[in-house]
Short mmCIF file of all heavy atoms in Angstrom, two decimals:
data_model
loop_
_atom_site.label_atom_id
_atom_site.label_comp_id
_atom_site.label_asym_id
_atom_site.label_seq_id
_atom_site.Cartn_x
_atom_site.Cartn_y
_atom_site.Cartn_z
N PHE B 70 -8.59 -8.46 -13.80
CA PHE B 70 -9.24 -8.01 -12.57
C PHE B 70 -10.08 -6.80 -12.85
O PHE B 70 -9.85 -6.00 -13.68
CB PHE B 70 -8.19 -7.60 -11.57
CG PHE B 70 -7.45 -8.83 -10.98
CD1 PHE B 70 -7.43 -10.09 -11.58
CD2 PHE B 70 -6.62 -8.68 -9.90
CE1 PHE B 70 -6.73 -11.15 -11.06
CE2 PHE B 70 -5.81 -9.73 -9.32
CZ PHE B 70 -5.96 -10.96 -9.99
N THR B 71 -11.29 -6.82 -11.99
CA THR B 71 -12.05 -5.66 -12.12
C THR B 71 -12.44 -5.13 -10.70
O THR B 71 -12.88 -5.98 -9.96
CB THR B 71 -13.49 -5.94 -12.79
OG1 THR B 71 -13.09 -6.44 -14.20
CG2 THR B 71 -14.31 -4.75 -12.99
N ILE B 72 -12.10 -3.90 -10.48
CA ILE B 72 -12.55 -3.25 -9.17
C ILE B 72 -13.87 -2.56 -9.29
O ILE B 72 -14.25 -2.00 -10.29
CB ILE B 72 -11.37 -2.27 -8.66
CG1 ILE B 72 -11.55 -1.90 -7.32
CG2 ILE B 72 -11.38 -1.04 -9.53
CD1 ILE B 72 -10.50 -1.02 -6.71
N SER B 73 -14.68 -2.54 -8.17
CA SER B 73 -15.94 -1.90 -8.12
C SER B 73 -16.17 -1.63 -6.69
O SER B 73 -15.50 -2.09 -5.80
CB SER B 73 -17.01 -2.80 -8.79
OG SER B 73 -17.21 -4.00 -8.04
N ARG B 74 -17.21 -0.75 -6.52
CA ARG B 74 -17.57 -0.36 -5.20
C ARG B 74 -19.10 -0.17 -5.16
O ARG B 74 -19.76 0.21 -6.17
CB ARG B 74 -16.89 0.89 -4.61
CG ARG B 74 -17.13 2.19 -5.40
CD ARG B 74 -16.26 3.24 -5.05
NE ARG B 74 -16.36 3.67 -3.68
CZ ARG B 74 -15.57 4.43 -3.08
NH1 ARG B 74 -14.36 4.68 -3.45
NH2 ARG B 74 -15.70 4.70 -1.72
N ASP B 75 -19.80 -0.37 -3.98
CA ASP B 75 -21.13 -0.08 -3.79
C ASP B 75 -21.20 0.89 -2.63
O ASP B 75 -21.08 0.44 -1.42
CB ASP B 75 -21.94 -1.37 -3.51
CG ASP B 75 -23.44 -1.24 -3.45
OD1 ASP B 75 -23.84 -0.03 -3.01
OD2 ASP B 75 -24.18 -2.09 -3.68
N ASN B 76 -21.34 2.11 -2.78
CA ASN B 76 -21.43 3.13 -1.77
C ASN B 76 -22.52 2.92 -0.78
O ASN B 76 -22.50 3.26 0.33
CB ASN B 76 -21.31 4.57 -2.22
CG ASN B 76 -19.87 4.90 -2.91
OD1 ASN B 76 -18.99 4.18 -2.62
ND2 ASN B 76 -19.89 5.87 -3.66
N ALA B 77 -23.67 2.49 -1.27
CA ALA B 77 -24.88 2.28 -0.44
C ALA B 77 -24.62 1.10 0.57
O ALA B 77 -25.24 0.99 1.64
CB ALA B 77 -26.05 1.85 -1.33
N LYS B 78 -23.58 0.20 0.23
CA LYS B 78 -23.37 -0.92 0.99
C LYS B 78 -21.99 -0.75 1.75
O LYS B 78 -21.53 -1.68 2.51
CB LYS B 78 -23.33 -2.22 0.28
CG LYS B 78 -24.80 -2.59 -0.31
CD LYS B 78 -24.74 -3.89 -0.97
CE LYS B 78 -26.07 -4.39 -1.46
NZ LYS B 78 -26.09 -5.74 -2.13
N ASN B 79 -21.43 0.34 1.57
CA ASN B 79 -20.02 0.57 2.16
C ASN B 79 -19.11 -0.59 1.81
O ASN B 79 -18.37 -1.04 2.73
CB ASN B 79 -20.17 0.87 3.63
CG ASN B 79 -20.77 2.04 4.12
OD1 ASN B 79 -21.03 3.02 3.25
ND2 ASN B 79 -21.10 2.26 5.30
N SER B 80 -19.11 -1.07 0.62
CA SER B 80 -18.26 -2.22 0.25
C SER B 80 -17.47 -1.93 -1.04
O SER B 80 -17.92 -1.19 -2.00
CB SER B 80 -19.22 -3.35 0.07
OG SER B 80 -19.78 -3.67 1.27
N LEU B 81 -16.33 -2.57 -1.03
CA LEU B 81 -15.33 -2.60 -2.15
C LEU B 81 -15.23 -3.98 -2.62
O LEU B 81 -15.28 -4.92 -1.82
CB LEU B 81 -13.98 -2.02 -1.67
CG LEU B 81 -12.86 -1.96 -2.64
CD1 LEU B 81 -13.10 -0.97 -3.75
CD2 LEU B 81 -11.55 -1.71 -1.93
N TYR B 82 -15.00 -4.13 -3.89
CA TYR B 82 -14.90 -5.53 -4.47
C TYR B 82 -13.81 -5.69 -5.40
O TYR B 82 -13.27 -4.63 -5.97
CB TYR B 82 -16.21 -5.86 -5.24
CG TYR B 82 -17.47 -5.70 -4.41
CD1 TYR B 82 -18.25 -4.54 -4.53
CD2 TYR B 82 -17.76 -6.63 -3.41
CE1 TYR B 82 -19.37 -4.43 -3.79
CE2 TYR B 82 -18.95 -6.52 -2.75
CZ TYR B 82 -19.80 -5.37 -2.86
OH TYR B 82 -20.91 -5.20 -2.11
N LEU B 83 -13.25 -6.87 -5.60
CA LEU B 83 -12.35 -7.13 -6.64
C LEU B 83 -12.68 -8.46 -7.27
O LEU B 83 -12.59 -9.52 -6.58
CB LEU B 83 -10.86 -7.18 -6.12
CG LEU B 83 -9.74 -7.36 -7.01
CD1 LEU B 83 -9.62 -6.12 -7.96
CD2 LEU B 83 -8.46 -7.70 -6.48
N GLN B 84 -13.11 -8.38 -8.53
CA GLN B 84 -13.42 -9.54 -9.35
C GLN B 84 -12.11 -10.06 -9.98
O GLN B 84 -11.57 -9.24 -10.77
CB GLN B 84 -14.49 -9.28 -10.31
CG GLN B 84 -14.87 -10.46 -11.26
CD GLN B 84 -15.49 -11.60 -10.46
OE1 GLN B 84 -16.31 -11.34 -9.72
NE2 GLN B 84 -15.11 -12.82 -10.84
N MET B 85 -11.63 -11.13 -9.74
CA MET B 85 -10.44 -11.69 -10.18
C MET B 85 -10.67 -12.94 -11.10
O MET B 85 -11.22 -13.87 -10.74
CB MET B 85 -9.52 -12.12 -9.13
CG MET B 85 -9.16 -11.03 -8.11
SD MET B 85 -8.01 -11.50 -6.93
CE MET B 85 -8.90 -12.83 -6.10
N ASN B 86 -10.41 -12.78 -12.47
CA ASN B 86 -10.71 -13.73 -13.45
C ASN B 86 -9.33 -14.29 -13.96
O ASN B 86 -8.25 -13.66 -13.83
CB ASN B 86 -11.47 -13.33 -14.61
CG ASN B 86 -12.94 -12.79 -14.13
OD1 ASN B 86 -13.37 -13.35 -13.23
ND2 ASN B 86 -13.49 -11.93 -14.91
N SER B 87 -9.30 -15.48 -14.62
CA SER B 87 -8.09 -16.02 -15.22
C SER B 87 -7.05 -16.00 -14.22
O SER B 87 -5.90 -15.68 -14.52
CB SER B 87 -7.76 -15.23 -16.48
OG SER B 87 -8.82 -15.21 -17.42
N LEU B 88 -7.21 -16.51 -13.04
CA LEU B 88 -6.23 -16.49 -12.10
C LEU B 88 -4.97 -17.31 -12.33
O LEU B 88 -5.16 -18.42 -13.01
CB LEU B 88 -6.80 -16.89 -10.62
CG LEU B 88 -7.62 -15.77 -10.03
CD1 LEU B 88 -8.59 -16.30 -8.99
CD2 LEU B 88 -6.69 -14.70 -9.39
N ARG B 89 -3.81 -16.83 -11.88
CA ARG B 89 -2.56 -17.51 -12.22
C ARG B 89 -1.80 -17.87 -10.87
O ARG B 89 -2.16 -17.17 -9.87
CB ARG B 89 -1.65 -16.54 -13.10
CG ARG B 89 -2.30 -16.14 -14.31
CD ARG B 89 -1.50 -14.97 -14.93
NE ARG B 89 -2.01 -14.42 -16.20
CZ ARG B 89 -1.59 -13.34 -16.74
NH1 ARG B 89 -0.71 -12.59 -16.19
NH2 ARG B 89 -2.26 -13.01 -17.94
N ALA B 90 -0.94 -18.62 -10.96
CA ALA B 90 -0.17 -18.90 -9.65
C ALA B 90 0.46 -17.78 -9.08
O ALA B 90 0.61 -17.55 -7.92
CB ALA B 90 0.91 -20.05 -10.12
N GLU B 91 0.92 -16.79 -9.97
CA GLU B 91 1.63 -15.59 -9.46
C GLU B 91 0.65 -14.62 -8.92
O GLU B 91 1.14 -13.57 -8.34
CB GLU B 91 2.48 -15.02 -10.63
CG GLU B 91 1.63 -14.59 -11.82
CD GLU B 91 1.78 -15.78 -12.87
OE1 GLU B 91 1.83 -16.88 -12.63
OE2 GLU B 91 1.79 -15.42 -14.11
N ASP B 92 -0.66 -14.93 -8.88
CA ASP B 92 -1.59 -14.02 -8.16
C ASP B 92 -1.71 -14.49 -6.71
O ASP B 92 -2.40 -13.84 -5.89
CB ASP B 92 -3.03 -14.10 -8.79
CG ASP B 92 -2.98 -13.57 -10.31
OD1 ASP B 92 -2.35 -12.51 -10.44
OD2 ASP B 92 -3.64 -14.14 -11.16
N THR B 93 -1.12 -15.50 -6.35
CA THR B 93 -1.12 -15.95 -4.98
C THR B 93 -0.60 -14.92 -4.05
O THR B 93 0.63 -14.53 -4.22
CB THR B 93 -0.36 -17.31 -4.83
OG1 THR B 93 -1.02 -18.34 -5.53
CG2 THR B 93 -0.15 -17.75 -3.26
N ALA B 94 -1.32 -14.48 -2.99
CA ALA B 94 -0.87 -13.34 -2.22
C ALA B 94 -1.99 -13.12 -1.14
O ALA B 94 -3.09 -13.61 -1.26
CB ALA B 94 -0.72 -12.11 -3.04
N LEU B 95 -1.59 -12.28 -0.21
CA LEU B 95 -2.48 -11.70 0.85
C LEU B 95 -2.97 -10.45 0.14
O LEU B 95 -2.14 -9.60 -0.17
CB LEU B 95 -1.77 -11.50 2.14
CG LEU B 95 -2.55 -10.97 3.26
CD1 LEU B 95 -3.58 -12.05 3.71
CD2 LEU B 95 -1.65 -10.59 4.48
N TYR B 96 -4.25 -10.30 0.11
CA TYR B 96 -4.87 -9.14 -0.64
C TYR B 96 -5.45 -8.18 0.47
O TYR B 96 -6.36 -8.56 1.28
CB TYR B 96 -5.98 -9.52 -1.50
CG TYR B 96 -5.43 -10.09 -2.91
CD1 TYR B 96 -4.87 -11.39 -2.94
CD2 TYR B 96 -5.53 -9.32 -4.03
CE1 TYR B 96 -4.31 -11.89 -4.08
CE2 TYR B 96 -4.89 -9.85 -5.14
CZ TYR B 96 -4.34 -11.11 -5.23
OH TYR B 96 -3.84 -11.57 -6.41
N TYR B 97 -4.93 -7.09 0.52
CA TYR B 97 -5.35 -5.97 1.49
C TYR B 97 -6.29 -4.93 0.77
O TYR B 97 -6.01 -4.48 -0.37
CB TYR B 97 -4.13 -5.16 1.99
CG TYR B 97 -3.16 -5.80 2.91
CD1 TYR B 97 -1.86 -6.23 2.39
CD2 TYR B 97 -3.43 -6.06 4.18
CE1 TYR B 97 -0.91 -6.86 3.14
CE2 TYR B 97 -2.53 -6.66 5.04
CZ TYR B 97 -1.32 -7.01 4.57
OH TYR B 97 -0.43 -7.62 5.31
#
Side-chain angles (χ1 to χ4, degrees):
Chain B
F70 290 11
T71 302
I72 192 172
S73 62
R74 64 190 295 162
D75 185 335
N76 287 344
K78 295 183 177 180
N79 289 349
S80 294
L81 176 72
Y82 306 102
L83 186 67
Q84 177 67 43
M85 304 186 296
N86 298 332
S87 303
L88 283 161
R89 306 167 179 168
E91 54 265 36
D92 296 318
T93 294
L95 185 64
Y96 284 73
Y97 291 104

